[in-house]
Amino acid sequence: MLLAINANNTNVKFAVYDGEKPLGDWRIKTEAGRTADQYVVWLNQLMTMQGLRLADIDAAIIATVVPQSLFHLNMLCEAHLKTKPLVVGDPGVKLGIEVKMDIPSSTVGADRLANAVAGHLTYRKPLVVVDFGTATTFDVVDGEGNYIGGAIAPGIVLSVEILHSATAMLPRIVVERPGRVIGKSTTEAMQSGIFWGYVGLIEGMVKRIGEEFGGSLDVVATGGLAPLFHGQTPVITHLDPDITMRGLVEIYRRNRG
């Protein structure tokens, strides 16, 4: 079985696969200092609850945008699972796509590269993958599956926290679709600004990306808050919560399959 690990700035997601078949997935809050011993105790308990065994894991792949976590995740795989993981971004790891950037591909977030790999594999057409994570990222994939760049904006939850922490009277709010655009209370006004502001961001960015790209693109939404926006704007054509992990499985297959 393959253990795929995606460590981002908010959560670390673990998923176990038998070939391409997902058997279970779990998340834990990202803490850079969390040790391999702590990871393995937590993971073992959750896998056991689903009838899975750590001993059956014989391969692993890691994508992380938190460099401080990589040592402990490597140790989890090597010391406890007795397998050396592939690490997306390492020089010897083949993506099977071209990364058309002005800077080395190792500086592009590993999750964004995994999204590009899975996006092309699944949809086979030019794409914008919008990932609603700690940052809201827009990643552009051409018709051949190559990663050609993108854009990064502040994430929704981050924006809400900044509004609350940097102002004297604005409360912390729950991100949800408000009943109207013109808020009749401070909370309603904040919800409107966040929700419809991000809808406007998505629509505006996709329009500009399409104009610069020179053609139409499907738009794939992923990340924790993607379901909130899917169906609220016609520019989002697909909701795909598992795209990153499928990308990791495919990258593993291209290197070790």
Side-chain angles (χ1 to χ4, degrees):
M1 295 193 305
L2 172 67
L3 176 66
I5 304 171
N6 178 34
N8 62 41
N9 290 293
T10 303
N11 295 304
V12 185
K13 181 176 179 179
F14 296 77
V16 174
Y17 289 82
D18 181 5
E20 296 181 1
K21 180 183 178 182
L23 301 179
D25 63 79
W26 311 272
R27 290 170 179 80
I28 191 169
K29 182 180 178 181
T30 300
E31 291 182 5
R34 195 186 306 275
T35 67
D37 295 343
Q38 290 172 313
Y39 277 124
V40 75
V41 170
W42 170 83
L43 184 60
N44 181 57
Q45 290 175 333
L46 290 172
M47 288 183 62
T48 300
M49 289 171 62
Q50 290 194 224
L52 302 171
R53 302 192 312 152
L54 280 175
D56 293 331
I57 294 173
D58 56 9
I61 184 168
I62 299 171
T64 180
V65 296
V66 185
Q68 304 94 319
S69 295
L70 182 56
F71 173 80
H72 300 293
L73 292 171
N74 260 317
M75 285 296 294
L76 165 68
C77 298
E78 294 184 14
H80 293 292
L81 305 179
K82 310 303 180 186
T83 185
K84 184 172 178 59
L86 285 177
V87 178
V88 179
D90 279 0
V93 175
K94 300 175 292 185
L95 299 175
I97 62 172
E98 188 176 348
V99 180
K100 298 184 175 181
M101 298 285 285
D102 295 335
I103 54 177
S105 61
S106 60
T107 62
V108 179
D111 52 348
R112 301 173 73 189
L113 297 174
N115 288 348
V117 169
H120 179 67
L121 187 70
T122 304
Y123 302 102
R124 299 289 179 178
K125 58 179 63 175
L127 298 172
V128 180
V129 181
V130 185
D131 194 334
F132 294 88
T134 308
T136 300
T137 58
F138 299 79
D139 295 306
V140 186
V141 184
D142 68 18
E144 287 70 50
N146 300 313
Y147 181 90
I148 65 171
I152 303 173
I156 297 165
V157 173
L158 180 61
S159 296
V160 169
E161 287 302 312
I162 292 295
L163 270 179
H164 170 66
S165 63
T167 58
M169 296 185 65
L170 295 182
R172 180 180 282 112
I173 63 167
V174 175
V175 181
E176 59 185 25
R177 184 186 187 277
R180 49 195 170 193
V181 177
I182 303 173
K184 299 296 186 179
S185 67
T186 298
T187 296
E188 264 195 351
M190 291 174 68
Q191 288 175 332
S192 178
I194 291 293
F195 182 85
W196 294 114
Y198 270 87
V199 168
L201 171 68
I202 296 159
E203 293 174 342
M205 287 298 296
V206 168
K207 179 177 182 293
R208 289 176 181 273
I209 287 169
E211 290 170 351
E212 191 169 301
F213 179 77
S216 62
L217 304 102
D218 275 17
V219 178
V220 181
T222 192
L225 287 174
L228 182 64
F229 291 89
H230 183 241
Q232 302 302 317
T233 171
V235 304
I236 295 177
T237 48
H238 308 282
L239 176 64
D240 196 338
D242 299 318
I243 189 171
T244 308
M245 306 310 279
R246 289 204 317 279
L248 293 182
V249 173
E250 177 62 15
I251 292 169
Y252 182 84
R253 188 194 67 80
R254 292 177 182 184
N255 285 269
R256 299 279 176 81

